[in-house]
Amino acid sequence: MDLPGTWWPEDADGLAVVQTALAARTPEPWRPPVDRPLLIGGSFCCFPRGIEGPGGPGDPVWVAAVTYAGRRRIARHVRTDTAGAAYVAGSLAMREGPALAAAVEALEPRPDVMLVDATGRDHPRRAGLAYHLGAALDLPTVGVTHRPLLASGEWPGEEEGAASPLWLAEEQVGAWVRTRRGRRPLVVHAGWRTDPDVAVEVVRRALAGTRTPLPLREARRLARRTRAQTPVGPR
DNA sequence: GCGACAG
DNA sequence: ATCTTGTCGC
């Protein structure tokens, strides 16, 4: 498949073409560096409070991206933007892709790997937003969601860090991970240049006592805090 | 045809 | 994602 003419088509058919092309790629697998500290990023976007259902194109969106070195945040970027479309399962990239990409592109320095609140290979065309964003930005990514999109698998044990595979047909696309004892496990997705094992390893290393991995939690906090400081909406 | 369906 | 109410725990 060729490079897409645009990373973020504005129509569902165009997006499906890009997703199918990206899913067929076989990028060089990424592994955490062993000679220096691992930089883990997090990105998150939120929408206006009170918005009902799937929303629609033009909705204001607040998006934040951060870079962490261990428990130290070394970079952050927050911006406001507009949604490209309503939320539709399988087409999250149309709603959040452009805004998320713009925020991560403005992040300096970039992390080695970015956590994204979306699926990766767990997708009808094997190219969820976490996978798609990584391809668009040439950045390894790992997806983190509350639940699978299509994949299924048994829950892991209660011990912190416990993981169990999530399958889509014959492919392991991610894992349930007990990020905190006594809490519902999160879904960790293989993304761009990351397989399920590496994805789980990255999330384990990003944990800091809370259910949500630190970089993702901080990006979410920043996005929501910025929203709270906006009286009416983005200019 | 019907239900399910990342955020 | 956002909303709501209640509950458990530090």
Side-chain angles (χ1 to χ4, degrees):
Chain A
M1 294 293 192
D2 292 317
L3 285 163
T6 175
W7 289 105
W8 313 108
E10 296 182 350
D11 61 283
D13 291 341
L15 175 63
V17 169
V18 170
Q19 290 172 332
T20 300
L22 290 180
R25 293 193 187 179
T26 53
E28 188 68 17
W30 171 84
R31 298 285 302 178
V34 294
D35 56 328
R36 61 179 175 74
L38 172 65
L39 301 184
I40 304 179
S43 55
F44 189 92
C45 59
C46 64
F47 296 90
R49 306 193 62 177
I51 192 175
E52 79 303 326
D59 286 342
V61 51
W62 290 266
V63 50
V66 300
T67 298
Y68 269 78
R71 297 202 181 190
R72 170 84 59 196
R73 191 185 72 198
I74 63 172
R76 52 162 284 183
H77 182 79
V78 185
R79 68 198 304 279
T80 59
D81 209 320
T82 51
Y87 166 72
V88 176
S91 300
L92 182 60
M94 281 178 57
R95 181 163 177 74
E96 306 181 348
L100 225 35
V104 176
E105 281 188 306
L107 188 62
E108 172 62 33
R110 275 192 183 193
D112 293 304
V113 58
M114 173 67 70
L115 302 180
V116 185
D117 56 318
T119 71
R121 298 287 298 182
D122 176 17
H123 182 274
R125 288 169 291 283
R126 306 298 192 276
L129 180 54
Y131 179 93
H132 189 156
L133 184 70
L137 302 179
D138 187 26
L139 180 68
T141 54
V142 167
V144 178
T145 63
H146 295 307
R147 55 184 182 179
L149 177 53
L150 299 173
S152 58
E154 304 280 286
W155 273 17
E158 286 293 329
E159 332 79 69
E160 184 168 310
S164 56
L166 272 163
W167 304 89
L168 215 195
E170 305 302 301
E171 179 185 1
Q172 190 194 341
V173 296
W176 284 110
V177 176
R178 189 76 69 175
T179 54
R180 191 168 184 195
R181 199 179 179 93
R183 305 263 355 215
R184 187 184 206 275
L186 287 176
V187 179
V188 174
H189 301 265
W192 183 248
R193 298 183 62 192
T194 57
D195 63 24
D197 287 341
V198 167
V200 170
E201 178 185 346
V202 169
V203 165
R204 283 178 177 146
R205 289 173 66 166
L207 296 180
T210 53
R211 184 170 89 114
T212 306
L214 184 55
L216 209 48
R217 188 168 188 261
E218 180 64 2
R220 183 176 63 193
R221 206 203 96 222
L222 288 173
R224 288 176 174 167
R225 204 231 290 157
T226 304
R227 176 183 63 186
Q229 294 170 340
T230 310
V232 52
R235 289 291 98 90

